[in-house]
Amino acid sequence: MAALICISKPFPHGARARASTEAPPFRIFEPPQAEESSVPSELELADPDFYRIGYARSMRAYGVEFREGPNGFGAYASRDVEPLRRARMIMEIPLELMLTISQKLPWMFFPDIIPIGHPIFDIINSTNPETDWDLRLACLLLYAFDVEGNFWQLYGDFLPDADECTSLLLAQKEDLLELQDPELALKIDEQHHRALEFWEKNWHSAAPLKIKRLAHDPERFIWALSIVQSRAIQMKIRVGALVQNANMLVPYADMLNHSFQPNCFLHWRFKDRMLEVMINAGQRISKGDEMTINYMSGQKNNMFMERYGFSSPTNPWDVINFSGKSMIHLDSFLSVFNISGLPNEFYHNRHLANGQDDNFVDGAVLAAARTLPVWSDGDMPMVPSAERKAARELQEECHQMLSEFHTTSDQDLQILESNQEASRTREAAIKYRLHRKLFLGKVIQALEIYQDRILF
């Protein structure tokens, strides 16, 4: 089995420029020789159309293909995968292709592409070690684009441009108003000013040409910062005897989309400095299923929106801030929806479900179990009439929260359907407020079912 994915034509990414199909003169871009692979024979090498970039060590993918889906580009299974008792590898990306910088001083880069004395290191060294990881990685990304023969000069053609990216750092002020969340809009505005001030401080008129050409205007730097915030991962890596926490941009793995119930995870293989994408042990995957990872665990939608530019109506960690004194019985509510586990590990117990809850119970209902005001006392049984009264009062508060929005869910859907030419950031902002309303609506429905089946 050939070990390198090597394709003869590029894969288009929207309106992005296409990678050259002619063999570059640099040795680093020459295709390596095929090697024997230890991957099980039942998995085929992926065959995406944008791999002809070639390197000293190749990226390898097994049983996956890359294509555009409802959430943008993603990785999909190219064949059925039966569950195994051990995690199974589907991608391996060598350290040489990544951009990494240590999270703490002294700053260390793998690979170390910055020559001694280059002024970009002084800019990186001027950042706050505690808070400015994204500024440092953005500088490193811009520098990689400027290094002759660097891998990221070609891979950059497959990164979304400013018009395709949903990061709110690239949003106009009127787009932020569409969030209908003043607190989140203020945080994004502060992030934008932070990036602008950093650019003005370091890309001033007296800056050397080798710095100026990295980001001629603030829009270029803010775009790089948005790419870093939405695609970087944090991981503990080991290189030789050195173990450190690093902020990393990992090509190809950054194509994996998010899921709250992912079928894959990332693993660092220290013996040969590879990042592996692994299928969860016991996971059954059908041909065409999307391969996903969990970007952040335990975070609300506003955090996903701030960092990645997307939200979900079924985020199991979203919350509703109730202000009243009404409470429902926790154990009774969980039993109605066959929810099991501790509060931090709630899940729908489908083995005990009778079938009619399977389509209703999702992350929103799990979030409701965490966020609803509840009481629990093993020595005091719940009183159905009191529970119904409390559930109705909680529903009324949810309706009150919905009434405070400037638009309804139906109006938001109509806006999205009628305005197909809206910017990606405006579309993401409208979806954010829509998802909030859908979540509130789901909680209202859950409380309605709870009242009907309180003695179920």
Side-chain angles (χ1 to χ4, degrees):
M1 183 189 309
L4 170 68
I5 299 169
C6 188
I7 303 305
S8 60
K9 60 181 179 179
F11 193 84
H13 185 84
R16 297 294 298 168
R18 301 189 176 196
S20 173
T21 59
E22 298 179 1
F26 308 107
R27 182 173 181 79
I28 193 173
F29 295 129
E30 294 178 2
Q33 299 299 314
E35 302 174 5
E36 292 297 322
S37 173
S38 60
V39 175
S41 60
E42 69 267 18
L43 287 182
E44 297 175 351
L45 284 169
D47 196 33
D49 283 348
F50 65 101
Y51 274 130
R52 197 177 188 277
I53 297 178
Y55 352 95
R57 283 206 299 169
S58 64
M59 178 272 182
R60 298 179 177 90
Y62 308 93
V64 299
E65 58 187 5
F66 292 83
R67 63 173 184 263
E68 193 163 8
N71 299 316
F73 271 89
Y76 294 81
S78 62
R79 61 178 302 162
D80 294 342
V81 178
E82 295 299 319
L84 292 181
R85 295 175 62 184
R86 299 177 59 185
R88 177 193 308 231
M89 181 183 66
I90 57 171
M91 288 189 217
E92 50 184 355
I93 302 105
L95 180 65
E96 289 87 345
L97 304 187
M98 307 175 198
L99 293 176
T100 75
I101 181 171
S102 57
Q103 292 183 15
K104 296 182 178 180
L105 288 166
W107 307 129
M108 303 189 71
F109 312 90
F110 294 103
D112 190 357
I113 60 175
I114 300 180
I116 296 176
H118 196 284
I120 195 65
F121 180 79
D122 296 329
I123 296 176
I124 291 174
N125 203 38
S126 70
T127 58
N128 187 324
E130 301 298 325
T131 60
D132 293 343
W133 68 270
D134 51 347
L135 298 178
R136 292 189 287 274
L137 201 50
C139 290
L140 191 58
L141 176 62
L142 289 170
Y143 177 73
F145 290 149
D146 191 58
V147 177
E148 185 177 359
N150 187 271
F151 163 79
W152 284 84
Q153 286 186 328
L154 296 177
Y155 191 74
D157 288 335
F158 305 105
L159 297 176
D161 60 23
D163 293 333
E164 297 170 327
C165 190
T166 60
S167 171
L168 294 185
L169 276 177
L170 302 168
Q172 302 295 323
K173 284 190 178 295
E174 53 268 26
D175 294 345
L176 297 181
L177 294 177
E178 298 290 351
L179 291 167
Q180 296 183 8
D181 185 338
E183 184 176 343
L184 177 58
L186 179 61
K187 291 178 69 175
I188 298 298
D189 194 48
E190 290 173 349
Q191 287 282 337
H192 188 274
H193 283 295
R194 166 177 170 261
L196 189 59
E197 289 176 0
F198 185 80
W199 181 86
E200 291 173 344
K201 174 185 175 183
N202 296 289
W203 273 264
H204 49 77
S205 58
L209 178 60
K210 60 176 66 177
I211 292 296
K212 285 184 177 179
R213 69 190 184 201
L214 301 184
H216 289 287
D217 50 51
E219 288 75 19
R220 174 67 172 174
F221 180 78
I222 293 174
W223 169 81
L225 187 62
S226 71
I227 291 295
V228 164
Q229 289 189 358
S230 59
R231 290 175 174 257
I233 63 171
Q234 297 179 353
M235 178 173 283
K236 179 175 288 187
I237 66 173
R238 174 178 166 186
V239 179
L242 179 64
V243 178
Q244 64 172 310
N245 292 314
N247 296 110
M248 312 165 68
L249 283 173
V250 185
Y252 304 107
D254 63 0
M255 295 288 182
L256 292 167
N257 286 315
H258 166 80
S259 172
F260 293 107
Q261 295 180 309
N263 49 27
C264 296
F265 65 95
L266 305 179
H267 173 258
W268 180 256
R269 195 172 76 204
F270 71 89
K271 66 178 181 180
D272 54 355
R273 301 169 301 168
M274 289 271 190
L275 184 136
E276 298 176 317
V277 180
M278 311 285 288
I279 298 178
N280 295 333
Q283 185 86 49
R284 181 184 300 276
I285 296 176
S286 301
K287 181 178 179 180
D289 286 352
E290 185 172 10
M291 320 303 282
T292 57
I293 58 175
N294 192 337
Y295 289 178
M296 293 191 296
S297 179
Q299 296 295 337
K300 299 182 291 184
N301 268 347
N302 60 343
M303 291 299 297
F304 278 94
M305 200 67 195
E306 180 182 347
R307 174 80 182 270
Y308 301 103
F310 70 83
S311 58
S312 169
T314 58
N315 182 347
W317 299 99
D318 221 2
V319 300
I320 300 174
N321 297 316
F322 290 95
S323 59
K325 297 181 180 180
S326 301
M327 295 188 294
I328 59 174
H329 195 279
L330 176 61
D331 297 335
S332 177
F333 184 83
L334 297 181
S335 67
V336 164
F337 296 105
N338 295 291
I339 295 175
S340 304
L342 300 173
N344 289 335
E345 300 174 351
F346 279 149
Y347 61 92
H348 182 47
N349 195 330
R350 299 186 185 276
H351 296 294
L352 300 178
N354 57 10
Q356 53 187 313
D357 285 339
D358 286 350
N359 294 327
F360 180 79
V361 179
D362 56 18
V365 178
L366 297 179
R370 291 191 179 96
T371 194
L372 285 170
V374 296
W375 67 279
S376 182
D377 190 335
D379 297 330
M380 185 182 299
M382 61 91 181
V383 179
S385 59
E387 289 295 303
R388 292 190 180 93
K389 180 176 182 295
R392 285 194 296 270
E393 291 174 351
L394 292 172
Q395 283 179 310
E396 290 173 5
E397 191 164 356
C398 288
H399 282 296
Q400 176 62 31
M401 293 178 190
L402 285 172
S403 68
E404 293 173 359
F405 285 97
H406 306 312
T407 56
T408 66
S409 299
D410 291 339
Q411 289 172 331
D412 289 340
L413 288 170
Q414 201 169 31
I415 292 171
L416 290 171
E417 292 173 358
S418 62
N419 195 358
Q420 299 292 334
E421 302 301 320
S423 66
R424 297 295 300 276
T425 52
R426 175 163 295 195
E427 180 183 352
I430 295 173
K431 285 183 177 179
Y432 171 77
R433 74 188 192 213
L434 170 63
H435 291 163
R436 182 64 176 174
K437 296 164 194 170
L438 293 177
F439 173 46
L440 286 165
K442 190 81 170 189
V443 174
I444 292 172
Q445 285 182 278
L447 289 169
E448 192 68 35
I449 294 174
Y450 178 58
Q451 295 174 61
D452 293 341
R453 303 174 62 190
I454 202 165
L455 294 178
F456 172 72

